[in-house]
Every structure is written in C-alpha cells, then in structure tokens.
Amino acid sequence: LIGLDCNMGFISFDATVGSNHRAVGHDLPPGQDLAEELLRRVEALGYSIVERVTQHEGYGWSFTVKTDDSQPIWCMLQLSDEWLLITHRHLPLLRKLFGAPALSAGHAKFDSALVGLLASLPFVSNVRWFRTHDDLRHGRTGQP
Amino acid sequence: MHAKVPNGKAALMLNALDPSMGYDFWRQLTFRTFTGSGSVTQHRSRSNGAGRLWTDSSTSSYNAEMKHLMLRHAFKFVDRVVFLVGPQNHRSQRALEKLRAVRVASRSDAGGRESFVYQIIATEYGRRGTGAD
C-alpha cells in the first residue's frame, strides 16, 4: 500500500441530514444534498470550485475545489457506518511512490478548514480526521 | 454475453473464457443480478483454484443475503473468493468486512486503476457461518 493514500485525507462525521435524500425511483447514493451544502460552505470560505457536485460511481458524491496553492483537491462524500469525506490530491505515480510521504501544505490547510467547517455545523457531530486508510480502519484519529 | 432477464430476478450464466481478460481462467461463471443495483462476477482459475468475485456497492437490505447466496454457490466450485474494491470505496469495504472478508493486498490493473484485494476462504467461511449481522 506504499504511497496509495499519501495524498488523501479522511474526515468522518455523523449528520442528522443527508441519509434520506434519495431521489424516488432512482438508485442514487445518499448525500447529494449534503455534498452540495458542503460545497456551498467551502466556496464561502474562499475556495474556488473546479467541478460541482457529481455522482461518483454507485456510492458517493464528489466535487473538486482549488486550494490556496492552486492545486485541485477532489472531495468525495459517501455514507458507510458514518459519513466519510475523502479529500484527494492527484499526484503522479512516481511522486506517490518516492516523494510525497506527507500531505501538501495546501491540502493539510484545506482539510483543516473542512474539519472546522463541519464541526461548526449544528447538524454535524463527531468530526474526526484520519491520515491513512489504516488509521481510519483502526480509529486512529489525527490532525491535518 | 449475458441473457436478458426481467427486473427483480437473478440469473446464473456460464460463459467461456474471454481471452481478452488476460487471466489464466479456463472457465468463467457469471452472475448478474437484475435488481437495479449491479452485478457480481466470479471466475475459476485452473492454476490455483481461486475464485474472483466482483460486486457493486449496493447496500439494499437484500444485497447481503444475495452475496451470501452467491458465495455459497461460488464455494461449490472454488476454494477462495477474491473481491476487488476501489481504495476510496469504504462503503463496499465495510460491507465486505461485515461478510468477514479479509483485506490481503492491493493491486493495479493494466490501466493503473488501484484496488484493494479482499478474500474469503471457503473453509473459514464455513467455519464462521455466513457472518451476517
């Protein structure tokens, strides 16, 4: 798994909205309204939108914003046992394998802003950030 | 090569090996569920007796039981079933862990698409039961 998640951040949280927002008669994953609400608030923080909310495969909703260092960050929201927002900055494979053990400063700042944003929302609780897949699986929280 | 079946039904089909897949499989068993939620595909390998099972991320109430039915059927032919799941698809990863699948590796396909490899061994599956919650 070397390098696989070096350019990702993982934010889990509980929310009292979103999980019932399914379009009647369609097999859409939950979370579209929640993703759009998050994107609106991210935009209000000053981040520019690269791509608005679109469905990601059969299980999530994604959007892309540009961070302070002009790097696009792809965000994908999905509902498992709790809500999970993955932030992902694309890196070339060689950079992932050999040169990027940590999040970029812009990515870390963006994740930190997201954690703060989510924690401030009245319908969101239990916001936690994880550095890697394994940290997420084992509940080892961190700070961006 | 999939037969057309009505919505809400499940079908089992037996296909010949598709050489374009690039695997050393001499036979391919294909399940396709027409529940509006996706498909599951299983292969049997001549070389190591392993099965491969692809599934979608549906979490409908009948989906877990459908997976158990498919697993039980697959284990009539193979000793091991392997699931490939996208690293970002925690929804499916959690569903697989509830089926007691174990993550054993990661891999990339020819297009560079990364997957986590989950596995269920027939003997362990039988010993543990279905693992249904």
Side-chain angles (χ1 to χ4, degrees):
Chain A
L1 301 180
I2 295 172
L4 197 59
D5 52 13
C6 67
N7 52 345
M8 294 184 196
F10 303 85
I11 304 170
S12 71
F13 59 94
D14 298 322
T16 56
V17 299
S19 56
N20 294 324
H21 291 180
R22 284 174 178 270
V24 175
H26 298 278
D27 191 26
L28 294 177
Q32 180 179 13
D33 288 4
L34 185 54
E36 288 173 347
E37 178 66 20
L38 287 176
L39 181 57
R40 272 193 294 274
R41 292 173 184 263
V42 165
E43 189 177 21
L45 290 176
Y47 291 97
S48 58
I49 298 174
V50 176
E51 183 185 37
R52 295 205 163 269
V53 173
T54 58
Q55 185 175 342
H56 177 71
E57 300 190 358
Y59 60 91
W61 296 93
S62 67
F63 56 86
T64 305
V65 299
K66 197 171 279 187
T67 60
D68 293 349
D69 55 6
S70 295
Q71 293 297 322
I73 301 275
W74 180 79
C75 305
M76 193 263 289
L77 179 72
Q78 61 186 288
L79 178 63
S80 182
D81 293 335
E82 56 196 346
W83 289 102
L84 177 66
L85 183 62
I86 297 177
T87 63
H88 177 263
R89 179 187 168 199
H90 175 75
L91 289 175
L93 180 60
L94 287 176
R95 179 104 187 272
K96 278 198 287 185
L97 291 175
F98 300 112
L103 291 184
S104 69
H107 191 168
K109 185 178 176 186
F110 176 70
D111 274 19
S112 184
L114 270 180
V115 167
L117 186 161
L118 285 163
S120 72
L121 299 177
F123 51 87
V124 168
S125 61
N126 195 27
V127 181
R128 297 184 297 167
W129 185 87
F130 304 90
R131 177 65 189 85
T132 66
H133 283 105
D134 279 345
D135 287 348
L136 174 66
R137 289 176 70 208
H138 296 105
R140 294 189 296 260
T141 58
Q143 290 188 330
Chain B
M1 185 179 79
H2 299 295
K4 200 169 182 180
V5 297
N7 285 340
K9 303 292 185 184
L12 169 65
M13 285 153 279
L14 185 63
N15 291 350
L17 170 67
D18 176 2
S20 67
M21 296 190 67
Y23 296 113
D24 180 25
F25 297 138
W26 67 279
R27 180 187 290 177
Q28 174 186 335
L29 283 169
T30 300
F31 302 90
R32 186 163 290 268
T33 61
F34 289 83
T35 57
S37 60
S39 63
V40 174
T41 305
Q42 170 215 339
H43 303 275
R44 183 164 78 168
S45 163
R46 185 209 303 262
S47 57
N48 59 12
R52 289 169 184 263
L53 188 71
W54 276 265
T55 183
D56 77 334
S57 60
S58 171
T59 54
S60 56
S61 58
Y62 51 77
N63 195 257
E65 181 56 29
M66 179 66 79
K67 284 173 178 147
H68 284 302
L69 286 170
M70 290 174 172
L71 279 170
R72 284 196 286 272
H73 182 84
F75 286 137
K76 293 177 184 174
F77 301 94
V78 299
D79 299 324
R80 180 163 55 105
V81 172
V82 173
F83 299 81
L84 301 176
V85 186
Q88 294 159 340
N89 188 352
H90 286 262
R91 193 175 168 92
S92 287
Q93 290 171 31
R94 287 294 299 135
L96 283 172
E97 286 161 5
K98 287 176 181 173
L99 288 172
R100 311 277 177 89
V102 177
R103 199 172 96 193
V104 293
S106 64
R107 51 158 277 182
S108 297
D109 65 16
R113 183 171 170 149
E114 294 162 316
S115 299
F116 285 159
V117 181
Y118 282 77
Q119 172 178 280
I120 299 179
I121 305 288
T123 51
E124 294 177 2
Y125 182 78
R127 196 161 51 234
R128 289 182 307 221
T130 63
D133 290 330

